[in-house]
């Protein structure tokens, strides 16, 4: 069964379409990159799939169901700048938020939940910072806390919006190996990535978007100069870069 089905999805802001007529059928067990230039509608597409924006037209199903019925199986890591990092909350509490979907409606975390939080913090090497206020972390550490929260949720589908922006090399490596690990356990991971470097290394499949869907397929097949240029509008700087990337 397809994990995500998108049919004829169009989403506008102030009547101006940001994405138009997008169709996608995504199977489980892969890491999929969403690439395209700034303003191409990547975040809009992701938020649309997540049911966070109203549609002009179209339909999205996750595990064959409406998003509301699949929400517990989905983790979303928004772009870092969209989060209020001044909010007075410590690392451990952010990660515990990942467990809320598993708690009863009126309920408190159980020892099992606390254990999961501890384990994921260890896994991403943030266990020493569990009581630290989130605003006192570096960009890379903040991104790792987000990842820990997503892991604590034990979802089947992960949506990451530009997770590599502003992180250190250590965090980039940690994110990449986590993506691989999740995929190997049959999860589906969608990752927005606006830079063309490492695309072939990071992603099994690519969604190339610039308002409309330019291509969707195995990275090796669609990451071609022609499709890259169509996606990025044939900008000269990108053209030069493309040759380096392909060669
Ligand atoms: P990307 O993530 O590829 O950079 P976005 O999906 O954020 O692109 O944005 C696509 C287009 O929609 C851009 O032109 C952007 O300016 C516009 N846009 C995004 N969010 C809003 C919003 N909340 N209100 C109005 N326009 C928006
Ligand atoms: Mg974006």
């Amino acid at each position: 069964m397809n994990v995500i089905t998108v049919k004829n999805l169009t989403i506008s802001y102030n009547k101006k379409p940001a994405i138009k007529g997008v169709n996608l059928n995504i199977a489980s067990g892969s890491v999929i990159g969403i690439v395209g230039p700034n303003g191409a509608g990547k975040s809009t597409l992701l938020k649309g799939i997540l049911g966070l924006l109203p549609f002009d037209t179209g339909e999205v199903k996750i595990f064959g169901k409406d998003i509301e019925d699949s929400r517990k199986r989905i983790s979303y890591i928004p772009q870092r700048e969209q989060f209020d990092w001044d909010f007075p909350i410590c690392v451990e509490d952010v990660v515990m938020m990942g467990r809320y979907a598993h708690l009863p409606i009126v309920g408190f975390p159980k020892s099992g939940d606390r254990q999961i939080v501890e384990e994921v913090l260890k896994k991403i090497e943030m266990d020493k910072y569990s009581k630290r206020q989130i605003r006192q972390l570096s960009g890379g550490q903040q991104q790792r806390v987000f990842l820990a929260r997503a892991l604590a949720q034990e979802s089947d589908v992960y949506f990451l919006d530009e997770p590599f922006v502003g992180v250190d090399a250590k965090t980039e490596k940690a994110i990449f190996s986590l993506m691989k690990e999740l995929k190997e356990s049959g999860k589906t991971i969608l990752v927005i990535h606006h830079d063309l470097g490492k695309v072939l290394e990071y992603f099994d499949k690519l969604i190339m978007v610039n308002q409309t869907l330019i291509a969707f397929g195995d990275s090796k097949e669609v990451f071609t100069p022609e499709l890259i240029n169509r996606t990025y509008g044939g900008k000269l700087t990108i053209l030069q870069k493309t040759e380096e990337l392909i060669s």
Side-chain angles (χ1 to χ4, degrees):
M1 190 179 61
N2 281 318
V3 175
I4 302 168
T5 318
V6 177
K7 274 190 208 150
N8 191 31
L9 186 63
T10 298
I11 295 176
S12 302
Y13 299 104
N14 312 316
K15 302 207 168 126
K16 207 170 149 260
I19 53 158
K20 276 194 281 199
V22 174
N23 291 294
L24 290 168
N25 281 308
I26 297 171
S28 63
S30 47
V31 182
I32 301 147
I34 303 178
V35 297
N38 267 328
K42 302 179 298 294
S43 296
T44 303
L45 175 61
L46 207 67
K47 288 181 198 160
I49 297 174
L50 282 159
L52 300 175
L53 293 170
F55 305 166
D56 296 359
T57 65
E59 184 186 82
V60 173
K61 296 275 182 197
I62 301 191
F63 296 108
K65 293 182 184 166
D66 288 338
I67 176 83
E68 289 72 27
D69 300 320
S70 314
R71 212 169 276 291
K72 282 189 186 171
R73 302 179 70 179
I74 301 165
S75 284
Y76 171 44
I77 305 185
Q79 269 178 282
R80 217 152 37 81
E81 65 262 35
Q82 287 174 11
F83 192 81
D84 180 7
W85 290 105
D86 284 331
F87 199 72
I89 185 170
C90 75
V91 166
E92 176 177 80
D93 294 338
V94 174
V95 180
M96 185 58 84
M97 285 176 189
R99 297 302 302 163
Y100 288 168
H102 297 273
L103 301 180
I105 295 178
V106 186
F108 294 96
K110 296 196 188 62
S111 64
D113 296 305
R114 291 210 178 81
Q115 199 183 330
I116 290 170
V117 168
E118 242 172 72
E119 279 165 18
V120 295
L121 281 171
K122 240 189 213 133
K123 186 166 197 160
I124 49 126
E125 293 177 34
M126 286 297 290
D127 47 318
K128 286 188 218 78
Y129 299 86
S130 60
K131 303 284 181 205
R132 178 83 65 96
Q133 293 287 310
I134 52 168
R135 63 168 170 260
Q136 293 165 344
L137 301 173
S138 73
Q141 289 170 332
Q142 289 175 343
Q143 195 62 277
R144 275 186 278 149
V145 172
F146 263 169
L147 274 178
R149 182 179 65 169
L151 289 173
Q153 201 181 327
E154 301 181 316
S155 317
D156 296 309
V157 191
Y158 293 79
F159 292 90
L160 289 76
D161 197 340
E162 308 224 12
F164 299 114
V165 170
V167 305
D168 51 291
K170 181 182 167 190
T171 302
E172 177 156 346
K173 249 177 127 174
I175 296 173
F176 178 54
S177 68
L178 270 176
M179 292 190 322
K180 263 186 20 194
E181 199 179 303
L182 289 168
K183 169 182 90 171
E184 275 150 23
S185 59
K187 315 280 186 186
T188 308
I189 307 105
L190 261 81
V191 186
I192 293 182
H193 192 65
H194 83 260
D195 157 20
L196 291 176
K198 300 199 181 158
V199 158
L200 291 174
E201 182 189 345
Y202 285 166
F203 308 115
D204 307 314
K205 288 176 190 279
L206 283 183
I207 294 170
M208 302 173 85
V209 64
N210 195 346
Q211 258 201 6
T212 58
L213 182 71
I214 309 286
F216 171 50
D218 289 343
S219 304
K220 287 193 197 75
E221 278 160 36
V222 298
F223 199 61
T224 62
E226 198 227 321
L227 288 172
I228 294 168
N229 290 331
R230 271 175 59 197
T231 307
Y232 285 81
K235 288 175 196 143
L236 186 64
T237 48
I238 302 295
L239 277 168
Q240 287 165 337
K241 223 175 156 188
T242 306
E243 277 155 26
E244 290 162 28
L245 287 163
I246 301 294
S247 60

